[in-house]
Amino acid sequence: MKDSFKTADQLTVHGKDYEFFNLNKLDKSFDVNRLPFSLKILLENLLRTEDGISVRKQDIEALLKWDPKATPNTEIAFTPSRVILQDFTGVPAVVDLAAMREAMKKLGGNATKINPLSPVELVIDHSVMVDYFGNNNAFHLNTEIEIERNHERYSFLRWGQQAFQNFKVVPPGTGIVHQVNLEYLARVVFGETRQGRLQAFPDTLVGTDSHTTMINGLGVLGWGVGGIEAEAAMLGQPITMLIPQVVGFELKGKLPGGATATDLVLVVTQMLRQKGVVGKFVEFYGEGLAHLPLADRATIANMAPEYGATCGMFPIDQETLNFLMLTGRDKKQAEFIAEYAKAQGLFHTPSSAHAQYSDTLTLDLNDVDPCIAGPKRPQDRIALRQAKQTYETILESLLKDGPKNGNGHAKQALERGLNEGAHITAKEAPVPQPESHEGKIHHGSVVIAAITSCTNTSNPAVMIAAGLIAKAAHDRGLKTKSWVKTSLAPGSQVVTDYLNRCNLMKPLEDLGFNLVGYGCTTCIGNSGPLPEKVSKAIQQDKLAVAAVLSGNRNFEGRIHPEVQHAFLASPPLVVIYALAGTMDIDLFNEPLGKDKKGQPVYMKDLWPSPQEIQEMMNTCISPEMFSSRYAHVFTGDEQWQKLPAPNSELFVWDDKSTYVKNPPYFEDMTLSVGTLQNIKDARVLVKVGDSVTTDHISPAGSIDANSPAGQYLISKGVEPKDFNSYGSRRGNHEVMMRGTFANIRLKNQLAQGKEGCWTAYQPSNEIMTIYDASLRYKSENVPLIILAGKEYGTGSSRDWAAKGTVLLGVKAVIAESFERIHRSNLIGMGVLPLQFMESENAQSLGLTGQEAFSIILDGIKPQDTLSIEVTDTSGKTRRFNAKVRIDTPKELEYYQHGGILHYVLRHLAKTS
């Protein structure tokens, strides 16, 4: 280790002497205090890991001389303190590590070199599905089914827990990864032996879920990466990145009564999306912090992927320490964190000087009004007062413009019983709901109302508000509509503890919000089947229906295949919409129903005051709840402990398994690195427009029996009822490559109007599935490319969106712009990301997708400009330029190796 800037120092806390790298010892000419909080943490990371190779003196100087306004162009190597995983992305990560161990042995190296070098914690939270709901046995039944469905995957993870050092698993039924991280796993400041010395240093991390940023609310720097990049971090590889721009977001005032943290975060998301912060850090500051509880900060930080930022940072302050004590952390640990943060100048007080920022925004919290977001993007905020009118406009748009927008199904649904251009309200297109005397299911009916997701169930204020509304509604005699599938899936067991102590669990259950599981359910698409009669009504009468959920994602086709629209809302609003049963209601002026005396009941009659919510929180939440629940967090219940846990260095692959298979990434791999092969006469497999998400590329939800993945599973003897989800099958590349671009709402412009997994094989223009076309191209040795619009790969940090892409034979993606994580994932799998030049796109260049493309890769450099040759159907040749979105020298090295895992494997094999 080097220490070019002589910052190594000693900090004594509770009688222990810690080495730490003191930012205050830096030359005063550098003015460290002008740096944003997040960059100070990066600076400490570089000072502590300086080795002259990955981290050099000039890298540290570049960060010290950071120019807020400059375009990022300096690469640094960030070494996170730990890695966190969830099971959808964690299982394939562990599969890759198991495959790397086998490949290492074949290359003549030491298999146990493939081993996490820093703490890795995996929380099983994404596999529980809402099969049962609306009764007090739902949690038990859903958990039982989860274990039964996923026993192969879970047994594999138990093997990993035995085989790998520094690897722990939080069993199913415990909570959602980000809430468990916030309430228990986060250290905020580490105090442990690293490099043979007792050191104190900031807790930093990367995670295989984009909402890893939730931990930024606790003053911990971390963000989501693809599983590929996370695996490299586990194995000791630093995360290469450009020193980012940092956007300051000033908060003033205090939230008014009736407005929630959910409303606030939807406003923030809309503002930052409009500003444009992709690839940037966002940092919150201002006097409004004093009125923002930690849970509200975590809600805002959680949604960083939705506003496009790498992270959404809050500083360490007294509220951080208060939260640590509330959640049962050790008092000495809190004191240690405070001492370290103050010694480093990382502890924020109201008098702290503001840092310099690349750009700033300001929001007065007093101006935040209740709102929802949708119908298919988190940034599309709708003021609650305009919700009814806006929804009617959405329906009108679907009716008039359906074919142009690819919403043919919705157009057909709305045509039934409606005249072209008619003013649409739900009442004009009723369909009788079987056995319902209280109303009718119709266009705009809410068929799913889910209190779900890490974003909001981690926040006691909104959860208690939902319970108070349920109590008030039950006392007035109101019920949820019979067609609404209701569910409560908190991110922590502590939530139900305090709801029970507040006597609010029973009112929620009376409205159908029974506990269905502690995990990521509806938000990830694990909403389970709709009741048969509701599903039948939707299908027979082609209804456009809606879901309302307290989640962070509502992309097309994600929540439920039969639900056309999905709206994000606070937990109390989820309860309100369950009572209303429709989006076609003015909640400020129309009643939700009638009470026991026949009097109308309005939303305002049920909504609790801020004082009432705060009193409940003060009374019902205690540190003992957290310390008790997390005392045995890694133990699991009897069902978990009964699962087999093989004890071996190498995993024994089962050829009959349909969940876990040895992936083909390392077949025929050698220790030598070949030269880059030019892409010659490539065909377009998929051509898409703007905002294509990783859900479009690699869906996480249900598997259609008629899809290539479904047909594969049937051929292996798996019945459709046992398909589980794409997310749960990520350990099997055969399923996942067939499921790539299989989202039912995908609009491939080559598919001649068909939605879903279709394309046109070239040059014959024959329509077939994307998977079948890829097989035909492969048999003919034809490379493939993808053409895309803006924000390609938004959403989840889904490594299978890149893995599936490469397994289909795609060599390059040419897009107008990329979301950060997916661009990184593509490089990590050896796929070349290229960006159209400014003001150019496929349409302006006249690219139909029927052409052949050739790309010369000789001498390729980071952020270079390449000339691409295009040959059209008549044989005419022309050229256009594209920017290489390999941004750093290290990324180029990964690409030249064929991917980051190949790079790591060769490096470890040569040094073992």
Side-chain angles (χ1 to χ4, degrees), residues 133-151:
F133 71 100
N135 66 76
N136 285 328
N137 208 28
F139 170 64
H140 172 74
L141 293 171
N142 288 332
T143 303
E144 198 172 62
I145 293 172
E146 178 191 355
I147 294 287
E148 182 182 335
R149 280 179 178 146
N150 298 286
H151 69 275

Side-chain angles (χ1 to χ4, degrees), residues 761-887:
Y761 170 80
Q762 302 301 328
S764 66
N765 220 24
E766 178 186 352
I767 296 296
M768 61 182 67
T769 68
I770 289 169
Y771 174 70
D772 286 341
S774 75
L775 290 182
R776 187 179 293 189
Y777 285 126
K778 183 177 181 180
S779 69
E780 298 167 351
N781 293 317
V782 175
L784 301 173
I785 66 167
I786 291 166
L787 298 178
K790 298 183 183 72
E791 298 178 343
Y792 183 72
T794 58
S796 301
S797 57
R798 195 158 296 170
D799 56 333
W800 262 109
K803 288 178 176 177
T805 296
V806 75
L807 289 178
L808 290 177
V810 173
K811 302 299 182 183
V813 178
I814 312 174
E816 287 183 68
S817 64
F818 292 89
E819 202 74 338
R820 175 186 60 86
I821 298 174
H822 187 60
R823 183 196 65 82
S824 175
N825 278 342
L826 289 171
I827 295 167
M829 289 306 299
V831 178
L832 178 64
L834 297 171
Q835 190 164 309
F836 289 108
M837 303 306 288
E838 187 77 25
S839 302
E840 291 185 349
N841 55 32
Q843 184 176 357
S844 70
L845 293 170
L847 303 176
T848 66
Q850 294 179 297
E851 303 89 352
F853 293 74
S854 294
I855 307 169
I856 305 300
L857 300 180
D858 293 341
I860 187 173
K861 296 177 182 177
Q863 303 187 52
D864 205 356
T865 299
L866 290 183
S867 177
I868 300 174
E869 183 180 273
V870 183
T871 304
D872 64 22
T873 53
S874 69
K876 184 179 178 182
T877 297
R878 57 195 171 98
R879 291 181 177 274
F880 70 93
N881 290 335
K883 183 179 180 180
V884 175
R885 283 307 314 276
I886 294 175
D887 290 350

Side-chain angles (χ1 to χ4, degrees), residues 607-625:
W607 204 273
S609 69
Q611 294 77 19
E612 191 177 1
I613 295 169
Q614 190 61 51
E615 285 173 12
M616 279 282 191
M617 289 172 62
N618 294 341
T619 303
C620 300
I621 304 175
S622 69
E624 292 73 27
M625 287 180 171

Side-chain angles (χ1 to χ4, degrees), residues 183-326:
E183 294 176 355
Y184 179 74
L185 296 175
R187 285 75 159 175
V188 185
V189 175
F190 269 90
E192 65 175 39
T193 301
R194 294 274 176 106
Q195 300 173 329
R197 299 180 300 279
L198 182 62
Q199 292 184 330
F201 52 92
D203 178 9
T204 56
L205 71 151
V206 291
T208 57
D209 190 287
S210 54
H211 296 105
T212 298
T213 54
M214 185 170 186
I215 207 62
N216 302 159
L218 200 60
V220 176
L221 181 61
W223 56 82
V225 296
I228 308 146
E229 202 168 1
E231 291 160 36
M234 291 182 215
L235 297 168
Q237 290 296 307
I239 304 291
T240 58
M241 58 185 291
L242 298 177
I243 299 174
Q245 290 189 329
V246 183
V247 175
F249 198 119
E250 182 182 18
L251 297 172
K252 296 181 177 180
K254 185 178 181 180
L255 282 177
T260 68
T262 314
D263 304 317
L264 169 58
V265 77
L266 293 178
V267 172
V268 169
T269 299
Q270 184 181 50
M271 289 176 66
L272 286 169
R273 269 292 175 189
Q274 290 172 351
K275 169 66 73 172
V277 293
V278 172
K280 300 176 183 179
F281 285 10
V282 171
E283 196 161 298
F284 296 89
Y285 70 98
E287 52 93 8
L289 288 183
H291 306 292
L292 209 60
L294 198 291
D296 290 9
R297 301 179 188 189
T299 301
I300 296 169
N302 179 289
M303 293 279 277
E306 276 59 63
Y307 44 83
T310 302
C311 59
M313 282 297 295
F314 289 82
I316 297 171
D317 62 4
Q318 186 58 46
E319 177 60 20
T320 310
L321 303 180
N322 294 343
F323 181 82
L324 292 172
M325 296 306 296
L326 174 66

